[in-house]
Amino acid sequence: MPADLIILNAQVRPIFAPAGTTAVAVSEGLLLELGSDEAIRRHAGPETRVVDAKGRELMPGFIESHVHLFMGGATLAMLNLGSVFGFEATRAAILDFTATKPGDEIVYGYAVNYVIFGEDRRPDRHLLDAIIADRPLCLLATDLHCAWANTRALELAGILNGADVGPGAEIVMGDDGLANGELREFAAIRRVRMLSRLKDRDGLGYEGRGIVSDEDRSHDKALIRMAADYCARHGITTAVNMDGNTYQAGLMRDLALAGDMPVRVSLPLRLEERHGPEGIALIDDFGPEVPGRLHFGRIKLFMDGVYDTWTALTATDYPDRTGFRSEPLIEPSIFNAMCIEADRRGHQIATHAVGDGAVRATIDGYEAARNANGRRDSRHRIEHIDTIAHEDLERLAPLGIVASMQPVHPPGSAGLPLEPTTTIMGRHRWSTAFPWRMIRERGVPLAFGTDWPVSPISPIYAIHSALTRQPWAADMPDQRISLDECLLAYTAGGAYADFAEDRRGRLEPGFDADLVLIEGSLDGLAETEDAARVALTVCGGSISFDGTL
């Protein structure tokens, strides 16, 4: 049978295919056969595209298990300040960027570290005013759970004098009785994000209500398409989105049906406490899926925020804040009821949980669902697990919970400073912080991602970060895992977490032809981030990125 695509002269790891595999044949979007170059050449026909891998490494396409495509697409037009530190360097970068964006629209910087102006001073409106005073300016923190706005932006947003933004969020006030510019959590940040053309349609809290013009819909679809192309450039063939609503479902369906989605997308329904268990039914408004390209069936919840804004829910007190553990974003009895209803309807649940208290409350909710509905293959997920109590590590595997984690998140890795996170978190939590090794040792399924645009999207860079991570103190355990384990977390582990292990994550006849060719040495990532790069990406048998030329 003639193949549509043949890749020859490749190297393939035994974790992905039988030993001796050097070539694959692809037909109608599926892997037709694996084997030697000689065996696979027999499938060449007059219309077959033949790719000479030239000894490059062939592996399954990367599965990005935690990403925000719409927001990520929007940040591609923003100023990335992730590597910038110091007032003068920040000022120069913002002014240079602003010069390319004439007019009076709000200026955004993202990936901003909390210590961008030094460990002794968090950003505030006064510092931002000293950079730009006559035009609205907003800097989004690297975790996207905090932002800082200048006075002009606060005035235009109507929050210079403060405002009630609901539980779990805060407009921080200064000693002068005015907002000091720091906005904590999504409800507060949204007030300033409404100043942009997007009107926060890409935000985590947007519910897809209201009328959007055809022009804006086209603009938004273009952003998602750019994000999908960006995924393909980095070898990603499946993107598990971690925010979703009926509006996004419609945009992505349009793209998928038009053949303009070069990556498979799994989209959830994001809900808050106010929706309660009744809100689970809102996923029915998503409409039909696009088989093989757009999948629904997941509920996304937030149990807490992050340590840097003291919104991570902890199991014990924060250091130097006796009696303070933050508050859950969803009250436990409501969370349990939502889990029970989602599980009863057969949906997978993915919950953001950073603090050890949030992780415990999430496990409690999943346990309540099992007790109410009985045991099933639910694969409910916990997103992040920055910290976890020792006793709760033992509860994950028996409940079939999947750990969805990001190797670019630990402070001290991927260019992130240790402070203020490690101090706010407290040393007593370090031994089980970002515990990849402990989770693997307990047989808990592990899926890797980046949380882009929170962190750089490149799986190769993320793997480098995982392999080079160092303990925060000499007496702390080493949580690193091996290269093969990292690759499995980005392929087979991601497929399992997305209920796709029977068609993705390995190289096997009949599986989806989702492939990536790697230039350089993956093994060299333990030494340098430049040791490898993506040369070719194939999604469903179609080449979605070609960097071989």
Side-chain angles (χ1 to χ4, degrees):
M1 177 179 181
D4 301 318
L5 172 69
I6 285 175
I7 299 177
L8 303 169
N9 190 22
Q11 298 182 53
V12 182
R13 288 177 185 260
I15 60 172
F16 294 129
T21 298
T22 62
V24 298
V26 174
S27 178
E28 297 182 349
L30 302 177
L31 290 172
L32 176 64
E33 186 178 346
L34 286 69
S36 66
D37 288 5
E38 181 181 4
I40 298 303
R41 278 196 181 97
R42 294 198 294 266
H43 292 286
E47 303 298 324
T48 302
R49 178 166 182 175
V50 179
V51 173
D52 182 357
K54 298 180 179 179
R56 298 182 180 98
E57 184 163 343
L58 179 67
M59 58 176 285
F62 291 116
I63 296 175
E64 163 58 78
S65 290
H66 188 122
V67 71
H68 302 277
L69 289 174
F70 194 0
M71 186 180 293
T75 63
L76 292 175
M78 296 180 184
L79 173 62
N80 187 335
L81 290 168
S83 61
V84 179
F85 292 91
F87 178 81
E88 290 302 329
T90 304
R91 180 177 182 273
I94 291 174
L95 292 181
D96 288 347
F97 178 77
T98 304
T100 69
K101 307 281 184 181
D104 57 3
E105 291 185 3
I106 187 168
V107 175
Y108 281 105
Y110 78 103
V112 177
N113 287 288
Y114 286 80
V115 292
I116 190 170
F117 295 129
E119 292 187 8
D120 58 343
R121 183 170 186 181
R122 290 166 80 101
D124 59 34
R125 67 181 174 93
H126 305 293
L127 284 168
L128 300 193
D129 287 348
I131 297 174
I132 296 178
D134 60 350
R135 182 173 177 179
L137 171 66
C138 180
L139 304 185
L140 301 170
T142 185
D143 54 29
L144 294 181
H145 284 258
C146 188
W148 300 275
N150 69 353
T151 301
R152 183 60 177 152
L154 296 169
E155 289 174 338
L156 291 174
I159 57 175
L160 182 58
N161 292 299
D164 181 5
V165 289
E170 180 184 4
I171 296 171
V172 180
M173 304 302 291
D175 294 336
D176 58 1
L178 300 176
N180 80 349
E182 181 162 317
L183 310 171
R184 297 178 181 173
E185 297 300 334
F186 309 132
I189 299 170
R190 186 172 190 270
R191 298 297 186 94
V192 170
R193 287 173 59 89
M194 289 297 291
L195 300 177
S196 74
R197 174 180 177 174
L198 280 169
K199 303 294 183 189
D200 200 45
R201 293 191 300 275
D202 63 322
L204 300 184
Y206 185 67
E207 294 189 20
R209 296 175 180 172
I211 298 174
V212 179
S213 69
D214 289 343
E215 182 181 2
D216 282 341
R217 283 183 62 88
S218 295
H219 172 264
D220 296 351
K221 281 193 285 188
L223 292 180
I224 295 173
R225 173 61 200 255
M226 284 195 300
D229 286 336
Y230 196 64
C231 287
R233 281 177 52 193
H234 289 93
I236 296 165
T237 53
T238 296
V240 181
N241 214 59
M242 275 298 152
D243 62 279
N245 49 57
T246 54
Y247 181 63
Q248 281 197 47
L251 296 179
M252 292 183 180
R253 180 165 44 248
D254 288 350
L255 287 166
L257 290 173
D260 287 333
M261 187 65 85
V263 62
R264 306 178 195 275
V265 178
S266 181
L267 187 76
L269 168 69
R270 179 183 180 266
L271 296 174
E272 299 177 359
E273 179 183 85
R274 57 192 169 85
H275 295 106
E278 298 79 15
I280 305 298
L282 293 172
I283 199 170
D284 296 339
D285 296 335
F286 273 23
E289 299 180 346
V290 180
R293 284 289 163 172
L294 181 62
H295 171 65
F296 305 139
R298 180 180 297 115
I299 304 299
K300 172 66 186 298
L301 304 171
F302 277 80
M303 180 55 70
D304 68 345
V306 294
Y307 277 105
D308 290 345
T309 58
W310 294 273
T311 53
L313 178 64
T314 57
T316 57
D317 295 351
Y318 273 76
D320 302 322
R321 299 189 70 173
T322 302
F324 180 76
R325 303 182 181 185
S326 193
E327 297 291 335
L329 293 179
I330 305 178
E331 195 275 325
S333 65
I334 298 176
F335 179 77
N336 291 359
M338 294 176 79
C339 289
I340 290 169
E341 177 60 13
D343 184 79
R344 185 190 68 81
R345 290 172 57 106
H347 299 312
Q348 186 187 44
I349 308 164
T351 304
H352 167 115
V354 164
D356 48 5
V359 173
R360 177 172 296 171
T362 301
I363 297 172
D364 289 345
Y366 295 169
E367 187 173 52
R370 174 170 288 191
N371 290 339
N373 301 324
R375 182 183 295 270
R376 73 178 184 88
D377 185 16
S378 58
R379 304 185 197 181
H380 297 319
R381 305 160 55 120
I382 303 181
E383 308 298 320
H384 307 311
I385 316 183
D386 289 16
T387 54
I388 184 171
H390 281 278
E391 57 268 34
D392 290 325
L393 276 168
E394 311 303 333
R395 303 174 64 198
L396 299 173
L399 288 169
I401 292 172
V402 173
S404 170
M405 304 182 75
Q406 299 73 43
V408 281
H409 277 193
S413 301
L416 293 174
L418 291 173
E419 298 297 342
T421 314
T422 54
T423 294
I424 294 174
M425 180 186 295
R427 199 181 195 283
H428 62 289
R429 294 190 177 90
W430 291 2
S431 64
T432 53
F434 305 95
W436 314 322
R437 169 55 54 197
M438 291 178 172
I439 280 173
R440 282 277 308 185
E441 289 174 343
R442 285 160 174 79
V444 178
L446 178 63
F448 269 172
T450 62
D451 204 6
W452 182 68
V454 167
S455 302
I457 198 172
S458 168
I460 286 178
Y461 181 64
I463 291 169
H464 164 72
S465 298
L467 296 175
T468 57
R469 175 186 173 187
Q470 296 299 314
W472 296 335
D475 59 341
M476 293 296 157
D478 188 343
Q479 297 287 3
R480 286 178 296 179
I481 57 177
S482 71
L483 172 60
D484 279 357
E485 289 170 327
C486 288
L487 293 172
L488 288 171
Y490 254 119
T491 53
Y496 179 85
D498 203 36
F499 289 92
E501 75 277 12
D502 60 343
R503 58 191 182 277
R504 293 178 208 133
R506 302 195 311 275
L507 302 182
E508 186 173 319
F511 271 42
D512 290 327
D514 293 358
L515 309 166
V516 60
L517 266 182
I518 302 295
E519 179 89 49
S521 169
L522 289 173
D523 295 276
L525 293 174
E527 302 297 330
T528 173
E529 65 185 84
D530 299 323
R533 70 172 184 87
V534 171
L536 183 78
T537 308
V538 178
C539 184
S542 298
I543 294 175
S544 53
F545 170 73
D546 190 347
T548 59
L549 301 178

